[in-house]
Amino acid sequence: MHRRLIAPGALVAASLLLAIPASAASHSPGAPGIGDPYYPYYGNGGYDVSHYDLRLQYQPKTDELQGTATILARTTQDLSSFDLDFLLDVSEVRVNGAKAAFATAGQHELVVTPKTPLAKGTAVTVVVRYSGVPSAKSAYGFTTWHRTPDGAVAADEPEAAWWWFPSNDHPRDKATYDVSVAVPDGTQAISNGTLQSSVSKLGWTRYNWRQNKPQATYLTTLALGRFDITTGTSDGGVPVVNAYSKDLGDNDGAARASVERTGEIVDWLSGYFGPYPFGSAGGYVPNTTTGYALETQTRVYYSPKQFAGGSNTSVVVHELAHQWYGDDVSLEDWKDIWINEGFARYAQWLWSEHEGEGTTRELADYVYASHPAGDAFWTVAPGDPGADNQFDIAVYDRGALAIQALRDEIGDDAFFAVLKGWPKEHAYGNASVADFRKYAERVSGKPLAALFDTWLFQPSKPAAGTGRSLARAAAPAVRPKSWKRIEATNAVHGH
Ligand SMILES: [Zn+2]
């Protein structure tokens, strides 16, 4: 995934809001951010969402979206007001049935003031009625609502929800979803999870999707357009639903030849990561012009550009690996991105070995040898890369190299036990890089602080002789066959 920069200056002024003393229960506003060091205003403080019910209607011709979001949450502090992250035009907000006051603030805050303050530990139902043209809205100068010739797509990282539903927009607050969307007959609406039903009436078709496992807001996706939908079941029993724009042109065959292998790849990954964590799998390929792919939960987003050079199962492996590493177990803060991207990249290395196009060892040696010590590649520390470098190529390649170093250090038995045990250890939850290190130490019985520091946190090339994997690092850089395909996953991100 790619990333754009948020001007740090904008954050300083807004942080003064946090300094207002909450001296009385009558004045105890929820914080405008959940506390992420990279993105201080992403997510919000004071409550925890358990479920989003989104009932929407979309007109592709005009990009007009209207909807009602019903949000079930529980307060984690006394709240005189609280924020949602949202950009569309709100007409009404109700809190526990009563009309609430609301106002916009900052870049993407909707501040809701209930008629009476909410006590800590209260169950809250928030209803937000809204409408708008998502493509006309921007925050920090960008939009992540991508229009297509026949509709639109919401799929981006680390933010995508602001353009289509109000939320507590941070992976730390995962929730279940019902997404119900009415579109003109002939248009399809694709979202996460399982299609419960689709009903046509008076020229409109309503698609009802359900995600019954916890899901991060950025992994919640919506695609509207003319799609061909395929269904099946993997040998391992995982239902698969894929969707292809009817206008993929020359990329249609290569897209299908890649994404139709989802069931096979899910089963193959289960051998390394344990049982598939969700009730369905799949992907969709809309006719977008954006270049990346994204691990949207159970229904991966693929740009058609990922298949412009022919079929590409490597990107399918990457995004499906995220279903365990990123979606099932989500990062605690955005600085923990290595747990997502390092392991999704390493899964591509395992697939390369499986396909006979280069072993993980050869790929690790190639990454190490092909970047000289002075290369900027080594200045990005995958364990805490900074918001600017969150999706830098080093997070992926250096990140996977660190995983090979871990494997060399603890041996295959412990390594594969860690790989499979981690998703179970934190199923449907959140965890940090520090949590991962402690887990690997527990499973392997080896202290790993120095190894993690060298490979993940130092802004420099680990010296030859540091760790067993580097005993071989003097080997010349031989490019494995799979290399171009693996890197193509990132090349279209604009790094
Ligand atoms: Zn990824």
Side-chain angles (χ1 to χ4, degrees), residues 59-385:
Q59 174 51 262
K61 280 184 193 148
T62 56
D63 195 37
E64 284 172 290
L65 180 74
Q66 53 181 285
T68 301
T70 303
I71 303 168
L72 308 183
R74 187 168 287 277
T75 57
T76 57
Q77 65 170 76
D78 290 346
L79 285 174
S80 56
S81 67
F82 60 89
D83 285 18
L84 291 161
D85 300 299
F86 197 44
L87 292 174
L88 296 187
D89 307 319
V90 173
S91 58
E92 183 180 278
V93 180
R94 287 179 180 268
V95 178
N96 291 342
K99 278 192 183 180
F102 58 92
T104 57
Q107 290 281 336
H108 51 82
E109 303 293 320
L110 175 69
V111 184
V112 176
T113 307
K115 199 168 269 178
T116 50
L118 304 167
K120 180 183 177 178
T122 306
V124 184
T125 303
V126 182
V127 178
V128 182
R129 290 182 187 277
Y130 57 93
S131 62
V133 175
S135 59
K137 301 288 184 184
S138 66
Y140 308 107
F142 64 80
T143 175
T144 69
W145 180 264
H146 307 296
R147 283 204 80 181
T148 62
D150 55 6
V153 174
D156 218 311
E157 185 182 15
E159 67 294 285
W162 312 339
W163 285 265
W164 66 286
F165 68 97
S167 73
N168 189 18
D169 189 25
H170 194 278
R172 235 188 268 172
D173 191 359
K174 299 207 259 188
T176 54
Y177 285 80
D178 276 303
V179 177
S180 171
V181 192
V183 286
D185 285 348
T187 297
Q188 282 76 37
I190 311 295
S191 190
N192 313 82
T194 306
L195 182 63
Q196 303 290 102
S197 61
S198 62
V199 184
S200 278
K201 203 171 148 188
L202 301 172
W204 291 78
T205 306
R206 179 167 287 283
Y207 291 82
N208 299 301
W209 293 90
R210 170 164 291 178
Q211 172 58 269
N212 60 4
K213 296 293 185 192
Q215 176 170 282
T217 42
Y218 85 100
L219 297 171
T220 306
T221 193
L222 181 63
L224 310 143
R226 295 172 55 249
F227 285 94
D228 176 32
I229 297 173
T230 68
T231 59
T233 304
S234 78
D235 279 351
V238 178
V240 178
V241 179
N242 297 318
Y244 306 89
S245 166
K246 290 179 177 169
D247 301 304
L248 291 179
D250 288 350
N251 295 326
D252 187 82
R256 289 171 191 260
S258 312
V259 178
E260 284 301 304
R261 294 181 67 181
T262 293
E264 171 198 347
I265 292 169
V266 161
D267 288 351
W268 178 79
L269 286 167
S270 299
Y272 288 105
F273 299 153
Y276 182 71
F278 306 118
S280 76
Y284 69 94
V285 191
N287 49 347
T288 46
T289 53
T290 49
Y292 54 87
L294 182 67
E295 63 269 24
T296 36
Q297 190 162 309
T298 66
R299 195 111 315 107
V300 169
Y301 162 75
Y302 300 99
S303 162
K305 287 186 181 176
Q306 292 287 343
F307 310 108
S311 66
N312 183 358
T313 47
S314 192
V315 69
V316 177
V317 168
H318 180 104
E319 305 306 341
L320 291 176
H322 277 308
Q323 302 304 310
W324 287 264
Y325 281 81
D327 295 11
D328 179 2
V329 185
S330 298
L331 38 71
E332 177 73 18
D333 288 311
W334 283 107
K335 69 178 168 56
D336 300 310
I337 190 70
W338 168 73
I339 292 183
N340 293 16
E341 302 306 345
F343 287 85
R345 176 64 101 228
Y346 198 78
Q348 291 177 275
W349 290 12
L350 291 166
W351 181 252
S352 166
E353 187 163 329
H354 172 71
E355 296 287 282
E357 294 188 329
T359 65
T360 59
R361 169 88 274 147
E362 287 163 349
L363 283 153
D365 285 351
Y366 182 70
V367 168
Y368 186 84
S370 61
H371 295 282
D375 196 329
F377 177 83
W378 300 109
T379 63
V380 175
D384 188 358

